[in-house]
Amino acid sequence: MPYTVMDAHRLIGPVPFDDLPEDPRPDMDRLGVQRACVTHTLSLYSDVRAGNEALLELGDPRLVPVPVLLPEPFEPVPDWDVPMVRLCPDRHRFELTGPTALRWLAALGRIVAIDLDETSPAQLLALARELPEQRVLLLNPGYRRLRAIGELMAAMPNLWLEIGTVNTQRGVEWLAGHFGAGRLVFGTGAPVMDDCGPRFLLDHLDLPEDDIALIASGGDLL
């Protein structure tokens, strides 16, 4: 059964440490990925404001902007018409559950994408207590922390998981069996991370076709 593939975790723009493709669309075409949620590399590695401005000017319906949210005390909450924002509290040196971040998240009401290495299970649980309706997409969970991830998903009904790095035997199937395919989301982290492996993983999941199609298109989050 054919299905739409949405990459929920992709980058656009130059990276300062390698010669990697700046435009994701040729690789998306090669791998049969119809749409992608993209964050600009400038926002991650250089200038958050400049990266977000470049991202929001893309104008390509295949590329869904995911600007980086950098909560600034005394600054107004940005008025972005986007479905999801990205937070980098470790990289950008702010508290995930600090008063400014909580105020901005409550005002925005958007999905939050955050890399597991940017935070901790304790901080994510604290966020869920402070903002129980906040939807979170956890990026790059890896496969060595499946027990901790399982505990988080059990405790946080509004937590979804990007599966690109869950590349251990039947790891995705284990998660789907406990939490449902709707809380699992296809993503790659490309081009900084490999995109062929996650695409191969998606094509070889031992799950019903309807579940695979749901994961491929963004679960019941996107």
Side-chain angles (χ1 to χ4, degrees):
M1 178 182 71
Y3 45 76
T4 298
V5 179
M6 158 77 91
D7 185 343
H9 178 207
R10 198 172 256 276
L11 303 179
I12 189 169
V15 296
F17 47 79
D18 207 344
D19 182 19
L20 295 171
E22 296 186 22
D23 186 343
R25 285 166 288 197
D27 283 338
M28 288 168 60
D29 292 338
R30 177 174 57 85
L31 294 175
V33 176
Q34 285 76 40
R35 299 183 74 204
C37 296
V38 294
T39 295
H40 206 288
T41 54
L42 285 177
S43 296
L44 294 179
Y45 303 118
S46 178
D47 184 328
V48 172
R49 187 185 300 274
N52 287 341
E53 288 175 355
L55 183 72
L56 295 170
E57 291 174 358
L58 287 174
D60 186 333
R62 294 185 66 193
L63 305 178
V64 181
V66 181
V68 172
L69 190 68
L70 182 56
E72 295 280 3
F74 318 118
E75 293 292 327
V77 180
D79 182 22
W80 291 329
D81 183 19
V82 296
M84 182 162 62
V85 297
R86 184 161 177 178
L87 290 179
C88 305
D90 183 65
R91 182 192 302 268
H92 294 147
R93 300 296 189 266
F94 67 89
E95 293 296 323
L96 177 62
T97 54
T100 302
L102 291 176
R103 176 172 61 85
W104 280 35
L105 292 177
L108 274 173
R110 300 292 191 269
I111 302 164
V112 165
I114 184 168
D115 194 303
L116 181 57
D117 285 343
E118 288 280 349
T119 184
S120 68
Q123 280 290 292
L124 290 168
L125 289 168
L127 177 64
R129 287 193 296 270
E130 294 287 345
L131 298 176
E133 301 303 316
Q134 177 66 60
R135 294 168 295 165
V136 177
L137 174 60
L138 192 60
L139 307 176
N140 291 330
Y143 62 88
R144 291 184 172 89
R145 300 178 69 181
L146 280 182
R147 292 182 182 88
I149 292 163
E151 288 182 332
L152 276 175
M153 295 187 74
M156 296 176 61
N158 282 324
L159 180 70
W160 281 257
L161 193 73
E162 181 246 314
I163 67 165
T165 55
V166 187
N167 53 354
T168 189
Q169 185 176 16
R170 297 191 61 81
V172 176
E173 290 86 347
W174 181 81
L175 291 164
H178 283 283
F179 306 108
R183 291 181 64 190
L184 306 177
V185 176
F186 173 73
T188 65
V192 173
M193 301 184 71
D194 169 56
D195 52 5
C196 295
R199 189 66 174 91
F200 181 88
L201 173 67
L202 181 71
D203 288 340
H204 292 83
L205 290 175
D206 185 15
L207 290 170
E209 279 294 309
D210 287 347
D211 285 355
I212 297 173
L214 184 59
I215 294 170
S217 61
D220 54 22
L221 175 69
L222 299 170

